[in-house]
């Protein structure tokens, strides 16, 4: 098992979560049907979460690290407007595509505060997988990947938290050692303890053992698609259902809110641990997901 294979598993988990989660915005799609083993009809188109994550993956596959200028350019040139991007991201990616410096475009967003959207967290799990067992590098690379679009500290903290979680579960997979839910959240809290995002993750730890309904009510489900109202619940769900990819995704669907993105984040972390098949990403779900773009394969 190489680090690039872990990264690929993470991208598969992320993109299947994104694509399946997005199906639940189609009227008539039922979670009880999914639980009963009858998923929605394929194909399941992926959204912006996957498009951006494929660019992140391609950086790691081809160069082994995040170069901010190259990543910003990749995001901007591969951006397909109908993939459901956040309103701030639409503006920023068009500006960068038209020649603006990403540093200025990201800093100018939202009246000069920078975006605190969950978009930096939604695409980052493959970085943690690639740096499994190396918390520091996972955190630094996550920060670099976030900054090219999201200048607000909450968005950067959210991305770091997700990448550290993926690096930690990747470490556990490689070593074969167990990983309790509280251990995983403690490892994240060692790195991200500040801001609303850090406070939310601490609250998520105190809610281990609660129901999906209670955890998502207390932590947020991304209905406001901000890092601090998305990442704490996703880490709760990933920690709680680390050994069962389908159950982890179903928890995101049951929670409602920004389902494609919560399922992308959770899927990207959990699949780093489970891989494909067995209790991992079901092969039938992989087949139902729209094929990844060519730049995100290989
Ligand atoms: O973060 P971003 O890429 O959005 C990702 C989300 C995911 O659910 C995707 O699947 C997609 O649906 O969108 O894009 P941004 O536009 O930067 O942030 C997302 C949203 O968060 C914005 O459209 C705003 O509604 C909100 N937001 C803010 N609101 C107030 N003040 C982000 N930053 C701010 C802020 O500073
Ligand atoms: Mg999306």
């Amino acid at each position: 098992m190489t680090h690039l294979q872990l990264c690929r598993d993470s991208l598969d988990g992320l993109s299947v979560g994104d694509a399946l989660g997005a199906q639940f915005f189609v009227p008539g799609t039922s979670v009880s049907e999914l639980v009963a083993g009858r998923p929605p009809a394929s194909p399941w188109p992926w959204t912006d979460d996957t498009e951006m994550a494929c660019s992140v993956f391609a950086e790691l596959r081809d160069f082994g690290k995040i170069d901010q200028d190259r990543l910003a350019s990749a995001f901007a040139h591969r951006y397909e407007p109908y993939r459901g991007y956040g309103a701030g991201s639409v503006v920023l990616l068009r500006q960068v595509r038209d020649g603006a410096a990403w540093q200025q475009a990201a800093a100018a967003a939202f009246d000069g505060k920078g975006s605190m959207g969950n978009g930096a967290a939604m695409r980052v799990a493959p970085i943690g997988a690639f740096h499994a067992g190396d918390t520091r590098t996972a955190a630094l690379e996550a920060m670099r990947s976030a900054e090219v679009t999201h200048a607000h500290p909450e968005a950067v903290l959210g991305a770091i938290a997700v990448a550290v979680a993926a690096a930690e579960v990747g470490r556990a997979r490689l070593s074969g050692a167990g990983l309790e839910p509280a251990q995983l959240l403690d490892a994240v809290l060692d790195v991200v303890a500040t801001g609303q995002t850090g406070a939310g993750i601490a609250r998520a730890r105190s809610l281990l053992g609660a129901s999906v309904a209670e955890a998502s009510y207390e932590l947020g489900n991304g209905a406001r698609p901000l890092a601090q109202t998305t990442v704490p619940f996703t880490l709760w769900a990933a920690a709680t259902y680390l050994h069962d990819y389908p159950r982890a995704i179903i928890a995101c669907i049951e929670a409602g809110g920004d389902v494609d993105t919560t399922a992308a984040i959770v899927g990207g972390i959990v699949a780093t641990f489970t891989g494909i098949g067995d209790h991992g990403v079901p092969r039938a779900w992989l087949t139902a997901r729209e094929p990844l773009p060519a730049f995100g394969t290989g």
Side-chain angles (χ1 to χ4, degrees), residues 61-82:
R61 179 197 59 209
D62 298 343
F63 305 102
K65 66 186 183 68
I66 299 297
D67 175 281
Q68 292 184 304
D69 293 334
R70 208 168 44 214
L71 184 63
S73 172
F75 284 158
H77 287 96
R78 289 167 178 160
Y79 150 75
E80 292 181 340
Y82 57 89

Side-chain angles (χ1 to χ4, degrees), residues 18 47-49 83-84 122 258 260-261:
D18 170 33
T47 79
D48 58 326
D49 309 49
R83 291 292 183 176
M122 74 187 180
D258 191 3
D260 60 314
T261 292

Side-chain angles (χ1 to χ4, degrees), residues 24-39:
F24 287 82
F25 295 108
V26 177
T29 309
S30 145
V31 68
S32 52
E33 287 288 301
L34 177 64
V35 170
R38 292 185 292 275

Side-chain angles (χ1 to χ4, degrees), residues 48-49 84 86-89 110 114-119 150 225-226 258 260-261:
D48 58 326
D49 309 49
S89 281
F110 295 95
S115 172
M116 52 188 179
N118 57 24
H150 289 69
L226 308 179
D258 191 3
D260 60 314
T261 292

Side-chain angles (χ1 to χ4, degrees), residues 222-262:
R224 289 186 73 207
L226 308 179
Q228 61 271 40
T229 50
T230 304
V231 170
F233 172 73
T234 61
L235 295 184
W236 178 93
T240 300
Y241 301 111
L242 184 61
H243 298 266
D244 187 345
Y245 177 92
R247 187 67 193 88
I249 297 301
I250 287 166
C252 296
I253 296 165
E254 289 171 343
D258 191 3
V259 174
D260 60 314
T261 292
T262 55

